[in-house]
């Protein structure tokens, strides 16, 4: 097995152990937390070697990269999610490969997803990406846009909205990060109250540097790259 795959698997095992201890200390059941490996820039041969040892949940940010890598892992126990900004003209490449999109953030994208899914009579789990930090360079809905957007999605029977996703601010200030996660959970709880017919079970939040705060605030899917694969080479 390639050395990097071996290292990544041992990092994953260590991460899982640390997560289990931390989750219990927060009163969370470790089984309720999925670890998504954020695999952007990680070569397919490394992911292949890992998937030959154990089932993986992988998240990619770029349609082109996903399209290149997914066929190289065909037949292995791998589930792909899309976690990056998705351009409408890439929907056709991404849809056949993924089981969830974390980054639904605008009406035009919802419309294009619906159009393609309806053709196949298929329903896809999606999360709404919310910009909880107010940073202007970040993608995602403004918190106050989220409810009307969600209401507008109810007529799309092809989209199964299962929760929210956010990227916390890149800062050392733990209070700001914590507020970002807290506000996502609070928004989810409010939307769940408004739309009882939906099951908004997922909060996709927490990365290598801030996952502990995310778990404490109710994350269900952690998106972890660096802690498993090491620093990304640009
Ligand atoms: C890269 C990425 C991650 C993982 O970040 P790390 O800090 O490497 O763990 C999580 N979410 C998104 C959307 C990303 O692009």
């Amino acid at each position: 097995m390639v050395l990097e795959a071996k290292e990544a698997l041992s990092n994953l095992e260590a991460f899982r152990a640390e997560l289990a201890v931390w989750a219990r200390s927060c009163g969370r059941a470790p089984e309720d937390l999925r670890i998504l490996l954020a695999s952007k820039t990680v070569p397919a041969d490394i992911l292949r070697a890992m998937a030959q040892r154990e089932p993986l949940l992988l998240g990619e940010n770029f349609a082109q990269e996903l399209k290149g890598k997914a066929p190289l892992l065909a037949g292995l126990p791998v589930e792909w999610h899309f976690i990056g900004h998705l351009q409408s003209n890439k929907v056709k490449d991404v849809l056949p490969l993924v089981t969830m999109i974390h980054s639904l953030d605008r009406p035009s994208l919802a419309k294009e997803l619906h159009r393609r899914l309806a053709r196949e009579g298929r329903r896809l789990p999606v999360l709404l990406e919310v910009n909880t930090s107010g940073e202007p360079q970040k993608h995602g809905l403004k918190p106050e846009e989220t409810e009307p957007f969600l209401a507008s999605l109810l007529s799309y029977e092809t989209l199964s909205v299962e929760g929210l996703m956010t990227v916390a601010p890149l800062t050392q200030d733990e209070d700001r990060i914590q507020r970002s996660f807290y506000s996502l959970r609070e928004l989810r709880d409010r939307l769940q109250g408004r739309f009882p017919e939906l099951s908004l079970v997922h909060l996709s939040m927490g990365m290598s540097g801030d996952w502990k705060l995310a778990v404490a605030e109710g994350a269900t899917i952690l998106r972890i790259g660096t802690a498993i694969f090491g620093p990304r080479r640009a």
Side-chain angles (χ1 to χ4, degrees):
M1 182 168 38
V2 276
L3 179 64
E4 292 96 323
K6 213 170 176 163
E7 284 173 5
L9 282 174
S10 99
N11 291 343
L12 177 56
E13 194 181 312
F15 183 84
R16 225 181 249 128
E18 198 185 348
L19 172 59
V21 171
W22 178 256
R24 285 193 201 96
S25 80
C26 299
R28 307 274 324 271
E31 314 80 81
D32 295 343
L33 291 153
R34 285 196 87 184
I35 304 170
L36 174 150
L37 305 185
S39 50
K40 58 176 178 270
T41 79
V42 179
D45 60 336
I46 295 177
L47 301 174
R48 251 192 85 78
M50 292 174 72
Q52 280 160 350
R53 296 290 176 93
E54 59 175 285
L56 302 177
L57 171 59
L58 301 177
E60 287 285 338
N61 293 65
F62 302 102
Q64 211 51 35
E65 187 174 346
L66 171 64
K67 201 178 159 186
K69 280 151 99 169
L72 302 173
L73 278 81
L76 292 169
V78 169
E79 190 184 342
W80 298 94
H81 287 185
F82 197 81
I83 63 172
H85 181 64
L86 182 53
Q87 291 170 273
S88 295
N89 65 354
K90 297 288 164 55
V91 164
K92 61 176 180 312
D93 297 329
V94 166
L95 269 188
L97 305 173
V98 299
T99 56
M100 182 182 271
I101 289 174
H102 292 224
S103 46
L104 178 52
D105 63 353
R106 60 194 191 281
S108 57
L109 178 58
K111 199 170 162 193
E112 178 62 7
L113 286 169
H114 173 68
R115 197 173 70 84
R116 299 254 170 204
L117 288 163
R119 256 194 224 166
E120 301 167 39
R122 180 178 162 210
R123 203 152 189 265
L124 181 74
V126 295
L127 306 179
L128 308 188
E129 180 171 357
V130 182
N131 179 348
T132 51
S133 64
E135 294 171 304
Q137 74 278 18
K138 282 237 166 74
H139 292 291
L141 297 147
K142 292 184 180 143
E144 65 271 21
E145 293 170 341
T146 310
E147 181 176 328
F149 181 58
L150 179 50
S152 79
L153 297 180
L154 297 179
S155 59
Y156 292 144
E157 72 283 359
T158 54
L159 299 178
S160 173
V161 183
E162 298 190 351
L164 306 177
M165 178 271 229
T166 200
V167 177
L170 187 60
T171 170
Q172 302 296 326
D173 182 346
E174 297 211 337
D175 286 342
R176 278 185 64 210
I177 298 170
Q178 197 255 341
R179 274 202 299 280
S180 162
F181 293 149
Y182 172 84
S183 69
L184 195 74
R185 173 165 62 138
E186 205 266 334
L187 180 59
R188 187 277 306 273
D189 293 348
R190 201 142 40 83
L191 294 171
Q192 185 62 79
R194 281 279 287 123
F195 303 100
E197 68 273 39
L198 298 177
S199 193
L200 303 175
V201 292
H202 284 300
L203 291 173
S204 167
M205 58 188 196
M207 313 188 347
S208 296
D210 56 22
W211 62 270
K212 286 189 171 177
L213 293 168
V215 170
E217 291 299 338
T220 63
I221 305 177
L222 308 174
R223 307 179 311 268
I224 307 296
T226 310
I228 306 299
F229 300 114
R232 285 179 285 276
R233 282 157 288 184

